C-alpha cells in the first residue's frame, strides 16, 4: 500500500521560504523533512511525518519547475504558469542567486568553464556546501557571466537589469564577473586569508576607477576590461623610482608629513624606498596580462607583508599611503599627477581592505 | 451570413527552441475557423516573434460561431521537411456572442501541446461582428447566457425561472476509431480535444434553443459532463435551469440576490414533445428484469433509493403517494405540476422561493453500455436519463413535494458498466410565485405567509397522519406551530435566512466494498446488488457522524459511488449544521451482546464515554450551545432505547429483496451500536478515527459557512490529487475501508498543514471526487477554496448583521434575543447533563461568544470563565439589538483596498464559490468550459506521475487564467474541476490525463475600505493573495 501520486496545486503558488532555502541548499527531500522536523514543524498543527513529507515533496517539485524560469528571471515575471505575488517573485530570484561567500571565494578568479565544474566536488568537500548547491551557484556565476560579458554599459546595472537582483547582490556578481574575466590570481596560499568580501571590494574599486567606463560614460564601451591606455601610461610612473633625486625628495616629503604621527616611523623611513619601488613596479608591470592577474599577490608580497612584519598598524598604513600619494604632487618634475592619482586611489583602498590578519 | 469573426496575431514570446543548430525558431501561425485557414508570415530566427498580422476575417453562420472554437496553431517553418507544430490555442468565442458579456478577446495565451505542455505564449486579438438574424427557424441561440453559478448571478435579478433544460450529444471517441492506430498520440489527443470542444459548443447551442423556446435568456446552474464510454462512444450531456434574467443597474449589486431577485417560474413553459404523464412511472427493474432486457442490447438495472432524513423506512414510496397527492393538489394546482420535470439545478434561491424542504431524493441505475449506432439519435442515453428523472420525480411526490431543487446528475463508468446517478432535494416552492409570476408578491408574501422565515423551510410538507413513512416529527423549535423532522438532509446550500446555531462542519462518510471481478451482465447484477447496501451504510455513517458533531441537518449532500474492477467506493460529503428549528440530536448508545461480563461492560462503557466526550467536545468546537427543552431528554448521551428510527431507505415495490432487508433493520434502534457486530466495529472505527480539524480551521462543502461572516480578501483556491495503490491482494472490506478512510483523512490533514498560514480560515466548497482508475488504485481529487476570516469575533458580532448579506434582518433580531440564560451541558460533567441542562425559554443562541478560537481549550476548563463569557454574550446581545440590523450586504465590513502591482501578468482569482469576499462582481463575461488532454512518453523524466500531474494541473490553471484575462476579467467564480481522468503505464514510461474545468469569468471590483474599522488583527497584505 503506497501513495502513488500526491500533488497539491494552488491558484496562487504556495512557497514556504524555509523549504525554499532547504531546496537551494541542496537537501534531499528526506533530509529536508528531517531538518523541518527538528525545526519544530511537527508541533505546529500536530502534523505527521507523512504530511510533512508530502508538503516538502510538493514544494520541491514546484521549485524544480520554477528553476527553468529562474535562469532568466525576467521570464519569471511574465510567465503564466505560476501565479506568484511580486514580492514572492523577488524573494525567489534573490534567494536563488544568493551564494555562499566561502564558495565564491574558492571559485573567484577561476575560469568559469567545465574544467572548474569538475573541481566542484573538491570545493564541496572543502566548504561543506552540498554539491547540488555548489552546482547551482557555479551555474549562476556562469550564466550571469555569459549574459553580461558582451554587454555594453555599466556592469552592475547590467547585472541588475538582466537578473533583477538587489543592488548589493548585483555588485557581488559584478565582482565575480570581473574577476573571472581578468582571471586574477586569488588561490595562492598567501592570499588565503582574504575573504570574498575583501576581493569584492577591490573589484568594485577596479571597476569604478580603472575600466574604460570609469573615465567617460561612453556606453559603447565595456566595463569588464581594464582601460588599456591607462595601464600603458602607468609605465611613466617609473620615474618615481628610477630618478634618484625624485625618490629621495619623495621620501623626505613623506617623512616630513609623518614625523611623530606614526609609531613605526623609523621602519617606514628605512623601508620607504623598497615600498615605493614595490608600488611603482606593480604599476609599471600592469601592461602584461599575466602581471595584471598577479596584482593581488604582488600587493600582498611586496607591500602588505613587509609592513605587517614591521608591525604597522592599519592607521599607520593609511597615513603613509595618504601622504605617499599626496606628496607626489609636490615633486617638481613629476608630470603624471592624474595617472598617479587614479592608480594610487585604487591601490590605497585595496591595500587598506587587504591589510588585516 | 450573420457573423464576421476577426482575428489578429500580434506576437509570441518564450517560444521553445525548434532549431537546434541556431537555438532559435522560425515561427508562423495558422488561424483556423471551420474550414477556413489563414497563415501569418514566417518570423525568422526568434523566440519572441512579432507577427503583427493583418485582421483575418471569417464570414460564418452564427451556428458555427457557437459550435466551433477558433483554432490557432503555432508552427516552426522548415524549408526541407514538414513544418513542426509548436502547439495550439483553442479560443471559445461564445462570450463574444452576447451583447452583455465580453466585447473583445485580447491577451497572451499559453501555447499548449498535448505532449509537451505549455510552450511559450501568443498574443491574440479576436472580435466578432454579429448581424441581427430574425429568422424564426434558426438553429443558433446566440445571446443566451450560460452560468455555472447555481444561484441567481450577483448582478442580475431573475424575472422568471422557467425550469429544467437538458440535452445530450454523442459521438464516437476519436481515441477508439480505427484511424487511431496509425496516427500519432498528438494527433489523436488533438482530435479528441477538438471534438469535445465542438460537442460542447453544439450542446450549448441546443440548450440555448430550448431556452429561447421557453422564452428565457439564460441558463443558470449549467452543469456539463463528459462520459468517456470508451468503445461505445463519447457522451456530452448538460443540465441547467432556464431563466429570464435582468441586469441590475448600478448600486447594490452585492446584496441584490435576496432582496430584489425573486423569481417566479412561469407556467407557460413549453412542454417537450416527449413529455410523459405525471405519476409514478416505475422504471425500476429488479436484476432479473434487467437480465431480460439484455435482449435489447442494453442491460439495465435500476433500483430506487429514496434518501431523506429523519424518516424511517417501511412504506414504499409509490404506494403512499396516492393520498398525498390529493393533499398536494389542494395546496398547489401549480404550473409545476404540468412540467415534465419540475427540477432546478440551483442550490440557493431568492428569498421566499423555497417553502418547504422534505429531504434528499436520489436514484441510481446500472446500465450496460452498448455502441451508439447513430450519433444523431442518442435515444438510449436519453431514455436512461429520462427513466431516472421520472424516478426522482415520483420520489419527490411521495414526499409531498412538487419540485426537486439542487438537482444534479452523474455517472461512473468501468469497462462496459455504467452507474447513472441523479439526486436532488424534494421541495415545495412558493405556489404564489409560480402562478403570479409577479414580482410584487414578495412583499405581500412576507406579511401573510404562515411560515416564519427562519424555520419555514424545515417544516414537513406532508401531513403527519399521512406520512409516507414512519418518521419522528416534533414541533418546530422556532415557531412551535408546525412539525419538523428530527434530521434533515438536503443537497442545497443552507438557505440564507435559515436560523443556525453555532458553526457547521464537513461531514464525510466513506466506504469501500469489494466486489468480484466479472464481465457484462453478471458484473452489472453484482454491482446493483451491492449498491443498496453501500448506500445504506453511507447513510448510517453520515447520520452517526452528524450526531457525533451534535448537529441535526446536512446541506450540500453529495453521494458519489464509483465503480472499479474489483470494488465499489462510496463517498458522501455534506456540511453538517445545527438548525435551530429542529430538535436537538440524540446521542449514540453502545451496547454489548454479552452484558453480564464485567470486563466487557467496562469496555463498552469506555467506548461510550469516549463517544459522549466527543459529542461534548464537538459541541464546544462548533459553538453549539443549546438549552434543552425541559421535557425532552434528547440531549442525554444515553437516550432511552425507544424506537426512534431515522435513517432508512425506502424502496419501491419492485425490489422485494431489499425491502426485507430493510425491515430487519427497522426493528433495531439505529443508534444502539452493538460492538460485537463487525459492522458496528467498523462504524465505530470510522466514527472515532476522524481527526478533528486543527484549531483555526473550519471546513464545509457548501457556499458559505454558517457562523463565519467576516471574510478577509485572502483566498486560495487549490486542487489536490492523490492516488493510492493497494498492493495487498487479500484485502477485506474492513481493511479496505480503513485504507480509504485514512487516505481521505490524511489528505485533509495535508491541506490543513499546507494552508496553515491562512489561519483562521475556512475551507469552503470542499469538493471530493473519487475514482477507481485501475484495479488496485483509488484516486481522490479535491478542489476547494481556503478563505481567511478575521478571528476577532467580538468585532464581528456587531458587524455580522451587515457583513453577511445573506442574513435576513428579522431573523437576526430574533436570534439576538436568544442568547442562553443559563449554563448548559457543556460546562457540566458529561455524565450528568440532565441536571444542568433543562431550562425553558429560548433554545439557542446564534452567535459565537466573543472568544477567539485559540483560547477555547482553556475556556471549557473553567466554570467561572464560562459565567463571565455568558455575561459578555448577553451584554453584547443587547448592543446588537440596539444597533438594529442593517441589511446592507457584506460590503461594509469587508472593504479593503487592493491594487495589483506592476507585473506584466494580471492576477486572476479563482474560486469554486459564486462570490468573492469583499468584492463586488460587476460583470459576467461568459462561461469558461475547457477540456485538456496531456500525455507523456517520458514519465520518469518529467518527475514521475506526481511531477506530470502537478505540471498539468498548473498548466490548466494557467490556461484558465489566461482566457479570463483575455476576456478582460480578473476572476473565475463557481470554478470546478469536473473531470480528472488519470491513466498511467509506468512500465512503458507513459501517462495520460484528461481534465475538464468550468466556471464563470467575471470582473470584480474591490470596495474601498473607508468606513470599515477592521479589527487590528492580522490583516493580510493587500497585494498578496496568499498569506504573507
Amino acid at each position: 500500500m503506497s501513495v502513488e501520486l500526491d500533488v497539491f496545486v494552488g491558484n496562487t503558488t504556495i512557497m514556504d521560504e524555509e523549504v525554499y532555502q532547504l531546496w537551494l541548499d541542496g537537501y534531499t527531500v528526506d533530509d529536508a523533512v528531517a531538518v523541518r522536523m527538528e525545526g519544530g514543524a511537527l508541533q505546529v498543527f500536530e502534523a505527521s511525518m507523512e504530511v510533512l513529507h508530502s508538503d516538502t515533496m510538493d514544494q520541491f517539485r514546484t521549485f524544480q519547475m520554477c528553476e527553468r524560469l529562474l535562469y532568466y528571471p525576467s521570464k519569471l515575471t511574465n510567465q503564466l504558469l505560476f501565479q506568484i505575488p511580486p514580492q514572492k517573485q523577488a524573494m525567489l530570484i534573490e534567494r536563488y542567486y544568493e551564494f555562499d561567500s566561502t564558495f565564491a571565494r574558492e571559485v573567484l578568479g577561476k575560469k568559469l568553464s567545465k574544467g572548474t565544474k569538475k573541481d566542484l566536488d573538491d570545493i564541496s568537500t572543502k566548504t561543506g556546501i552540498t554539491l547540488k548547491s555548489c552546482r547551482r551557484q557555479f551555474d549562476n556565476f556562469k550564466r550571469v557571466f555569459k549574459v553580461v560579458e558582451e554587454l555594453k554599459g555599466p556592469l552592475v546595472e547590467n547585472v541588475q537589469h538582466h537578473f533583477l537582483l538587489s543592488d548589493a547582490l548585483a555588485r557581488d556578481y559584478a565582482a565575480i564577473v570581473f574577476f573571472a574575466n581578468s582571471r586574477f590570481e586569488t588561490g595562492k596560499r598567501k592570499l588565503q586569508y582574504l575573504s570574498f568580501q575583501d576581493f569584492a571590494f577591490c573589484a568594485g574599486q577596479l571597476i569604478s576607477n580603472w575600466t574604460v567606463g570609469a573615465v567617460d560614460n561612453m556606453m559603447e564601451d565595456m566595463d569588464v576590461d581594464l582601460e588599456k591606455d591607462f595601464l600603458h601610461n602607468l609605465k611613466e610612473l617609473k620615474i618615481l623610482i628610477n630618478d634618484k633625486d625624485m625618490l629621495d625628495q619623495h621620501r623626505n616629503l613623506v617623512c616630513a608629513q609623518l614625523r611623530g604621527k606614526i609609531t613605526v616611523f623609523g621602519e617606514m623611513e628605512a623601508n620607504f624606498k623598497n615600498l615605493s619601488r614595490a608600488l611603482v613596479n606593480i604599476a609599471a608591470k600592469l601592461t602584461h596580462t599575466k602581471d595584471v592577474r598577479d596584482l593581488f599577490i604582488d600587493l600582498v608580497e611586496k607591500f602588505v607583508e613587509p609592513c605587517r612584519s614591521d608591525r604597522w598598524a592599519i592607521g599607520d598604513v593609511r597615513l603613509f599611503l595618504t601622504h605617499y600619494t599626496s606628496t607626489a604632487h609636490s615633486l617638481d618634475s613629476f608630470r603624471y599627477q592624474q595617472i598617479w592619482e587614479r592608480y594610487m586611489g585604487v591601490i590605497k583602498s585595496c591595500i587598506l581592505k587587504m591589510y588585516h590578519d | 451570413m450573420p457573423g464576421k469573426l476577426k482575428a489578429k496575431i500580434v506576437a509570441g514570446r518564450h517560444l521553445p527552441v525548434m532549431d537546434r543548430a541556431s537555438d532559435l525558431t522560425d515561427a508562423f501561425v495558422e488561424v483556423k475557423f471551420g474550414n477556413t485557414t489563414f497563415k501569418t508570415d514566417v518570423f525568422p530566427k526568434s523566440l519572441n516573434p512579432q507577427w503583427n498580422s493583418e485582421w483575418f476575417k471569417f464570414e460564418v453562420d452564427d451556428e458555427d460561431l457557437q459550435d466551433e472554437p477558433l483554432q490557432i496553431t503555432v508552427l516552426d517553418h522548415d524549408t526541407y521537411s514538414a513544418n513542426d507544430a509548436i502547439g495550439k490555442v483553442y479560443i471559445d468565442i461564445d462570450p463574444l456572442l452576447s451583447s452583455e458579456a465580453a466585447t473583445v478577446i485580447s491577451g497572451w495565451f499559453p501555447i499548449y501541446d498535448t505532449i509537451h505542455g505549455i510552450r511559450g505564449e501568443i498574443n491574440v486579438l479576436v472580435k466578432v461582428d454579429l448581424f441581427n438574424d430574425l429568422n424564426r427557424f434558426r438553429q443558433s441561440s446566440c445571446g443566451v447566457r450560460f452560468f455555472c453559478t447555481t444561484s441567481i448571478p450577483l448582478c442580475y435579478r431573475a424575472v422568471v425561472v422557467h425550469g429544467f433544460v437538458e440535452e445530450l450529444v454523442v459521438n464516437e471517441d476519436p481515441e477508439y476509431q480505427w484511424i487511431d492506430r496509425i496516427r500519432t498520440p498528438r494527433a489523436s489527443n488533438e482530435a479528441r480535444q477538438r471534438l469535445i470542444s465542438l460537442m460542447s459548443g453544439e450542446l450549448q447551442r441546443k440548450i440555448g434553443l430550448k431556452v429561447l423556446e421557453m422564452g428565457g435568456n439564460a441558463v443558470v446552474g449549467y452543469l456539463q459532463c463528459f462520459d468517456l464510454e470508451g468503445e461505445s462512444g463519447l457522451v456530452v450531456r448538460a443540465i441547467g435551469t432556464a431563466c429570464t434574467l435582468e441586469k441590475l443597474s448600478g448600486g447594490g449589486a452585492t446584496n441584490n440576490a435576496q432582496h430584489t431577485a425573486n423569481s417566479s417560474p412561469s407556467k407557460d413553459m413549453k412542454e417537450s414533445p416527449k413529455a410523459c404523464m405525471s405519476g409514478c412511472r416505475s422504471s425500476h427493474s429488479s436484476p432479473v428484469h434487467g437480465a431480460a432486457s439484455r435482449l435489447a442490447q442494453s442491460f439495465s438495472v435500476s433500483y430506487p433509493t429514496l434518501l431523506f432524513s429523519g424518516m424511517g423506512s417501511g412504506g414504499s414510496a409509490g404506494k403512499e403517494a396516492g393520498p398525498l397527492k390529493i393533499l398536494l393538489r389542494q395546496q398547489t394546482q401549480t404550473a409545476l405540476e404540468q412540467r415534465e420535470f419540475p427540477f432546478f439545478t440551483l442550490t440557493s434561491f431568492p428569498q421566499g422561493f423555497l417553502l418547504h424542504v422534505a429531504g434528499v431524493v436520489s436514484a441510481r441505475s446500472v446500465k450496460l453500455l452498448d455502441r451508439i449506432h447513430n450519433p444523431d439519435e442518442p435515444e438510449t442515453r436519453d431514455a436512461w436519463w429520462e427513466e431516472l428523472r421520472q424516478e426522482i420525480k415520483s420520489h419527490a411526490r411521495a414526499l409531498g413535494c412538487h419540485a426537486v431543487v439542487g438537482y444534479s446528475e452523474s455517472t461512473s463508468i468501468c469497462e462496459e458498466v455504467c452507474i447513472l446517478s441523479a439526486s436532488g432535494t424534494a421541495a415545495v416552492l412558493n405556489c404564489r410565485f409560480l402562478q403570479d409570476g409577479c414580482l410584487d408578491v414578495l412583499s405581500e408574501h412576507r406579511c401573510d405567509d404562515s411560515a416564519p422565515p427562519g424555520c419555514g423551510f424545515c417544516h414537513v410538507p406532508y401531513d403527519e397522519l399521512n406520512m409516507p413513512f414512519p418518521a419522528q416529527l416534533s414541533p418546530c423549535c422556532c415557531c412551535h406551530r408546525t412539525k419538523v423532522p428530527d434530521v434533515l438532509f438536503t443537497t442545497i446550500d443552507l438557505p440564507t435566512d435559515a436560523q443556525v446555531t453555532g458553526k457547521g462542519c464537513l461531514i464525510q462518510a466513506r466506504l469501500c466494498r469489494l466486489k468480484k471481478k466479472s464481465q457484462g451482465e453478471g458484473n452489472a447484477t453484482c454491482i446493483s446488488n451491492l449498491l443498496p447496501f453501500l448506500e445504506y451504510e453511507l447513510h448510517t455513517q453520515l447520520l452517526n457522524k452528524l450526531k457525533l458533531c451534535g448537529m441535526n441537518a446536512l446541506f450540500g449532500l453529495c453521494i458519489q459511488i464509483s465503480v472499479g474492477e474489483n470494488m465499489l467506493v462510496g463517498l458522501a460529503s455534506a456540511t453538517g449544521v445545527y438548525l435551530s428549528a429542529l430538535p436537538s440530536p440524540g446521542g449514540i448508545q453502545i451496547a454489548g451482546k454479552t452484558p453480564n461480563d464485567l470486563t466487557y461492560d467496562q469496555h463498552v462503557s469506555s467506548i461510550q464515554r469516549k463517544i459522549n466526550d466527543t459529542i461534548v467536545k464537538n459541541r464546544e468546537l462548533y459553538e453549539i450551545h443549546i438549552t434543552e427543552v425541559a421535557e425532552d431528554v434528547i440531549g442525554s448521551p444515553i437516550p432511552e432505547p425507544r424506537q426512534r428510527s431515522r435513517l432508512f431507505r425506502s424502496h419501491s415495490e419492485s425490489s422485494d429483496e431489499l425491502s426485507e432487508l430493510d425491515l430487519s433493520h427497522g426493528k433495531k434502534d439505529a443508534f444502539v451500536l452493538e460492538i460485537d457486530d463487525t459492522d458496528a466495529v467498523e462504524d465505530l472505527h470510522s466514527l472515532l478515527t476522524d481527526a478533528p480539524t486543527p484549531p483555526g480551521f473550519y471546513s464545509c462543502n457548501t457556499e458559505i459557512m454558517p457562523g463565519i461572516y467576516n471574510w478577509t480578501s485572502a483566498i486560495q483556491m487549490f486542487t489536490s490529487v492523490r492516488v493510492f495503490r493497494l498492493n495487498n491482494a487479500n484485502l477485506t472490506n474492513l481493511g479496505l475501508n480503513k485504507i480509504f478512510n485514512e487516505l481521505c483523512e490524511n489528505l485533509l490533514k495535508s491541506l490543513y498543514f499546507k494552508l496553515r498560514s491562512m489561519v483562521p480560515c475556512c475551507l469552503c466548497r470542499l469538493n471530493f471526487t473519487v475514482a477507481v482508475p485501475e484495479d488496485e488504485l483509488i484516486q481522490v481529487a479535491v478542489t476547494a477554496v481556503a478563505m481567511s476570516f478575521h478571528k476577532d469575533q467580538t468585532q464581528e458580532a456587531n458587524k455580522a448583521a451587515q457583513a453577511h448579506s445573506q442574513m435576513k434582518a428579522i431573523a437576526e433580531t430574533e436570534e439576538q434575543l436568544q442568547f442562553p440564560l443559563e449554563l448548559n451541558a457543556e460546562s457540566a460533567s458529561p455524565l450528568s447533563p440532565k441536571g444542568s441542562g433543562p431550562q425553558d425559554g429560548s433554545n439557542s443562541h446564534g452567535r459565537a461568544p466573543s472568544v477567539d478560537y485559540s483560547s477555547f481549550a482553556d475556556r471549557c476548563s473553567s466554570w467561572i470563565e464560562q459565567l463571565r463569557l455568558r455575561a459578555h454574550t448577553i451584554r453584547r446581545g443587547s448592543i446588537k439589538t440596539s444597533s438594529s440590523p442593517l441589511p446592507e450586504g457584506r460590503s461594509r465590513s469587508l472593504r479593503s483596498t487592493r491594487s495589483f502591482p506592476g507585473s506584466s501578468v494580471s492576477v486572476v482569482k479563482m474560486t469554486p464559490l459564486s462570490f468573492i469576499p469583499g468584492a463586488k462582481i460587476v460583470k459576467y463575461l461568459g462561461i469558461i468550459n475547457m477540456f485538456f488532454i496531456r500525455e507523456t512518453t517520458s514519465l520518469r523524466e518529467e518527475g514521475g506521475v506526481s511531477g506530470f500531474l502537478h505540471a498539468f494541473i498548473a498548466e490548466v490553471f494557467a490556461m484558465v487564467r489566461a482566457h479570463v484575462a483575455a476576456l478582460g476579467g480578473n476572476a473565475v467564480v463557481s470554478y470546478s474541476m469536473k473531470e480528472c481522468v488519470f491513466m498511467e503505464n509506468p512500465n512503458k514510461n507513459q501517462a495520460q490525463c484528461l481534465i475538464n474545468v468550468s466556471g464563470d469569468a467575471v470582473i470584480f471590483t474591490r470596495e474601498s475600505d473607508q468606513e470599515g474599522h477592521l479589527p487590528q488583527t492580522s490583516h493580510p497584505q493587500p497585494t498578496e493573495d496568499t498569506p504573507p
Side-chain angles (χ1 to χ4, degrees), chain A residues 1-2 4-7 9 11-12 14 16 45 50 52 54-55 58 61 65 78 80-81 83, chain B residues 13-14 716-723 725 727 739 754 756 904 908 910 946 950 961 984 1025:
Chain A
M1 274 146 279
S2 57
E4 176 114 350
L5 180 159
D6 178 9
V7 297
V9 189
N11 183 37
T12 305
I14 292 185
D16 187 318
F45 271 81
E50 284 164 49
L52 212 54
S54 141
D55 178 61
D58 253 327
R61 237 184 350 249
M65 284 189 251
N78 59 14
L80 303 177
L81 189 56
Q83 187 157 276
Chain B
R13 68 182 183 196
H14 305 157
Q716 168 70 283
M717 190 281 295
F718 59 86
T719 291
S720 184
V721 182
R722 274 189 192 189
V723 175
R725 183 176 286 282
N727 292 325
I739 289 168
K754 279 261 181 216
R756 65 194 181 281
S904 56
V908 175
M910 289 166 80
S946 296
H950 192 144
R961 287 193 302 256
E984 56 166 327
D1025 208 9

Side-chain angles (χ1 to χ4, degrees), chain A residues 72-83:
Chain A
Y72 301 98
S74 58
K75 267 195 184 171
L76 186 73
T77 57
N78 59 14
Q79 51 85 33
L80 303 177
L81 189 56
F82 297 105
Q83 187 157 276

